Amino acid sequence: MRREMKRWENIHLTGINRLPAHTDFYRYETKENAKTFNKENSIGYTLLDGVWKFLFVDSPELSPKGFEAEYFAIEGLDDIEVPSSWQIKGYGNMHYTDVLYPFAINPPFVPQENPTGIYFRELMVSDLADDEALILKFNGVDSAFDLYVNGQHVGYSKVSRVPSEFDITEYVKQGTNRLTVRVYQFSDGTYLEDQDMWWLSGIFRSVELFKINKNTLQDVIVETLPDENYENFTLKIGGEFLTSNVKGLFATLYHQNEKVDQFDIEVADGKFEISRLIEKPHLWNAEEPNLYHLVFEYCLPNGHKEIVPLRIGFRSIEVIDNEIRVNGKRIFFNGVNRHDSHPKTGRTVSYEDMLQDIKMMKQYNINAVRSAHYPNNDVFYDLCDEYGLYVIDEADLECHGFENTGNYNWISDNELWQKQYVDRAVRMVKRDRNHPSIVMWSLGNESGAGRNFTAMYNAIKAIDPTRLVHYEGDRVAAYSDVYTTMYTRLKPLEEIGKNAEGKKPHILCEYGHAMGNGPGGLTEYQQLMRKYPRLQGGFIWEWCDHGIETTNENGETYYLYGGDYGDFPTNGNFCIDGLVYPDRTPSPGLIEYKKVIEPIVTEEVNLTEGKIRVKNLYDFKNISGIVLHVEVKSFGTLIEEKEIKLPSIQAHEEVEITLPIDVAKAAQYDDVRIYLSYREAEDTLYAEKGHEITKESFLLESTKLEKGVITVASIGSDFAIEDEAAQLKIENDMFKAVFSNVYGTLESFESEGEEIINKGPKVTLWRAIIDNDMYKKDDWINKYFLKNTKEQLGEVTYEVSEDHVDVVITKYVSTVNQAWGFHLTYNYRITKNGVLNVDLKGEKVLRGIEIPEMLPRIGVTMHLNQDYSEVTWYGRGDSESYQDTKRSQPIGLYNKTVEDMHTDYVYPQENGSRCDTSFLALAKGDHKYLINFKEEYDFTIHDYETSALEEAKHRGNIKKSPFNVLTIDYKQSGVGSNSCGEEQLPRYRTVIEDFRLQFEIRKIEKDSLVEESKFFTAR
């Protein structure tokens, strides 16, 4: 027997007594207040945020009798902060899933176990005039709620992330009034809100009260329509009043406080519409977000004047010749997906939080944001208008859990749900359609396909024909103006780019999954998307890690993710997938993305003449005046430093520039590199003067250093050798080396009486699993047993010469039950001066048929004296780099402590590599050891073992070791994006191949590092 729908399960109901959606604006008494755009200065505005009383029950039916009554006792109830989510405040259960609904799928019904929060607040109301009304606005409530005032049911609403407004005038009295809001965690709307995020409930956005005149402006709509040359624009204005009592408005258009136009607007039957030609306005785009102020003035029947200001931008968005164009020009999206997320408050974010995000996006060259996967707070779009970001505004709609049922289109193609789908689209568009930053509406995310999306598309076009509409689930772009895909691999993406004739433009609404250590391979995506005109960019998934902040017993901050609250089923740390950490610290992934999407590209033309080519990849902006800071360095020595200002370079143009440097002088040095930094010449909205837009560096090839061998006079005594069954000891007054004759390993190496090497080197094929290895790790661990690398001894031999001893150890290395492996030859040369030189050769052995296509790495690990904790290296830095994430890290001389070489990912994993390194040094006070590489290798050095890193599940839980662990890589595989995206590309994969590692370790004078690094002494 089918059970009866409860109100919060009724798909035929979109709301009760909720007022129609409209654009956001505020009314002011004076122009001075209007200019501030501060709603707290507006007429009749009261913010109801703060402490409310709260009662939590396990189901709506368990609400106490009479809870809605005006005199229901609330004094003994808990306090709760509004806005907030009740799970964050300790009520109910924290639960994270990516795809799964947290209950049985039986639409539109939800479980009887439906956590419910009842909110109470006293509201003081002064005497209302006959022509005044009180409007109560909820900006975000998850997932549905009933509103009561003084015991009377005012209304009901759902759709968590769009506003709901109610006229409460007839329900209030002068003096104290009781507001009661009963919020349901689950409703039929929950089936449409299965986004990848924490399941958080409650009044999580601000609650506002407006005392308005009953005749006031109800809605205003602004469109800007270009002429054929995109020079002059028609300003089209429409709107309506709540009544027909206002007969006219007066409008003034300002640009930077300069009056541009003013005109009267006639109002008939409460409605108005007018068009004005504006000649050659300053146009809005993400690079030059020119905003105008459109100010309306009108008189109410009571004689009072109201002023309504709007920020508008003259901007068109069209598809022309199969290209997305803004103001007639093709644009390219370098975007991110962004959730509302804060480590302490969950989905409740403040103005300051949003501003911080937007400023950071601009600072890191991001020009677009997709409001994944729901409309943001209205102020977010105000900030995007002001700071300049293209926005895809996305409806609060995702039905991802249906994918696992075998019927992804279960409700998306069910006409009974059509009203619900359309309601979500229309309310979003009606609120946000005056924002120039919004260039595209999104019908939602990961919800299958079907007739309801067609209905949404048609409903949007009926009320806003000026913007594009996209939906990634529309595989044939039937109800999308663009062809959108996500996580498309490079090869099929190129096919899309080639197959352009007569086809809609393409964007990647998600790619480059920024989970943990990654994403890698972004350069190849950028190059491909820039190559084919049909491909117009994409949006990285995603902006921020969704970790929840907590502290350990030592007071150290770390972040919780799915499963940490006992939530099941859960997708674990899949919510830790952002370019910034929860506290907005940039990850290496964001630093790399900034470089990959750089708007100014530099190419070498002829460095011997100081000539470079500068390309302007902006779509609109002339980069004239940008400061180019030039440094010429040899290792750490600054040879020359200059600054110039760029000449006029229009968008998509390039010029050759001769750098004002003395190349002949530079050529007298070794390994000279030219470092270029493009910087803002003046303060901007988002950054201070001197902010670095991008950087580049070049090696002056004529100065490239080839390391040689220098013979150094021996100062050590003769060798003493003990060759016993278990050990081979070689020593003099400068060093002591102990080898195992049983295992064929260097067990210890002392220099001048101090142990420097505790163990190693030993071949490793393993790295701590990164999130992007998640689909390989099972084979790596359980099929190829790559964690269980074992070396089998062949023989240990040695030969003594006058100045050195050569110890040659042959081995075979493989893993458990594998037929493939490597024949190894370790050739150690130790000089009388205590120099240790290592030459390791590996010859591949391919037998059998089960051979891994990719190895995590081929390298060697050593345990070193932990007192030597200062690291200096000449390679890429100063942040970490991997072979597919190294563009942002120029080669140079860098210095850190071992502790600082760790990248503190929320979920601990392989980290801290430095690519393309020529040498490194470890120091303790005035004592320093050089580790000089024959070729450029990658290395990591940490104060913990790989096993400890893998055992730790949170920051601060990594067990420290009593020594430093140095890994020198012949090759380490890149990081890719395969937690949800492209695997490591073939060029970045480590495969079974012959290899050779050569390096020398010797003690040096503290200040002689660079000179000492230019040569070897043993061979």
Side-chain angles (χ1 to χ4, degrees), residues 766-770 773 856-857 908-911 946-947 949-950 972:
W766 187 247
R767 70 179 180 200
I769 289 293
I770 64 172
D773 293 334
R857 73 185 343 143
Q909 55 199 276
E910 158 66 33
N911 68 87
T946 296
S947 58
L949 188 60
E950 292 185 300
Q972 183 181 169

Side-chain angles (χ1 to χ4, degrees), residues 365-405:
N365 297 328
I366 291 162
N367 73 350
V369 60
R370 176 178 174 226
S371 66
H373 297 293
Y374 41 79
N376 283 207
N377 208 316
D378 55 353
V379 72
F380 181 79
Y381 306 103
D382 290 334
L383 291 168
C384 291
D385 294 342
E386 183 180 2
Y387 283 81
L389 286 167
Y390 299 121
V391 177
I392 297 179
D393 198 8
E394 190 148 272
D396 192 359
L397 200 161
E398 180 166 336
C399 313
H400 206 164
F402 284 100
E403 184 177 28
N404 293 344
T405 70

Side-chain angles (χ1 to χ4, degrees), residues 152-164:
Q152 301 176 79
H153 186 246
V154 175
Y156 167 80
S157 187
K158 55 189 170 185
V159 186
S160 296
R161 284 159 281 274
V162 292
S164 301

Side-chain angles (χ1 to χ4, degrees), residues 337 486-488 508 510-515 518-522 525 539-542 577-579 593 772 976-982:
N337 289 271
M486 59 170 65
Y487 304 110
T488 307
L508 281 169
E510 295 178 23
Y511 82 110
H513 200 250
M515 188 175 182
L522 296 181
Y525 268 96
F539 296 75
I540 295 294
W541 186 267
E542 68 169 301
D577 54 1
L579 290 170
Y593 189 43
N772 287 322
S977 181
N978 197 217
S979 53
C980 195
E982 182 76 76

Side-chain angles (χ1 to χ4, degrees), residues 218-257:
Q218 193 271 334
D219 200 2
V220 59
I221 305 156
V222 176
E223 297 176 358
T224 58
L225 308 174
D227 65 11
E228 61 183 8
N229 298 315
Y230 301 92
E231 289 185 353
N232 304 322
F233 274 66
T234 297
L235 176 62
K236 185 178 178 182
I237 303 167
E240 59 185 315
F241 285 81
L242 289 173
T243 68
S244 58
N245 294 329
V246 175
K247 304 303 181 183
L249 305 89
F250 183 71
T252 309
L253 183 66
Y254 297 93
H255 181 252
Q256 295 180 349
N257 294 320

Side-chain angles (χ1 to χ4, degrees), residues 566-590:
D567 45 318
F568 181 85
T570 182
N571 291 94
N573 70 312
F574 209 69
C575 60
I576 307 298
D577 54 1
L579 290 170
V580 296
Y581 301 141
D583 64 356
R584 272 45 183 183
T585 299
S587 75
L590 179 59

Side-chain angles (χ1 to χ4, degrees), residues 895-912:
N895 181 268
K896 286 183 180 291
T897 65
V898 170
E899 186 177 23
D900 289 338
M901 299 293 277
H902 170 75
T903 303
D904 206 14
Y905 290 110
V906 170
Y907 186 92
Q909 55 199 276
E910 158 66 33
N911 68 87

Side-chain angles (χ1 to χ4, degrees), residues 22-24 162-163 371 375-378 381 385 393-394 426-438 441 464 467:
H22 59 84
T23 55
D24 277 313
V162 292
S371 66
N376 283 207
N377 208 316
D378 55 353
Y381 306 103
D385 294 342
D393 198 8
E394 190 148 272
V426 168
R427 288 165 66 187
M428 169 183 69
V429 173
K430 284 190 173 181
R431 187 194 69 168
D432 294 339
R433 56 185 167 181
N434 285 341
H435 291 283
S437 58
I438 298 172
W441 304 114
D464 179 25
R467 288 181 177 85

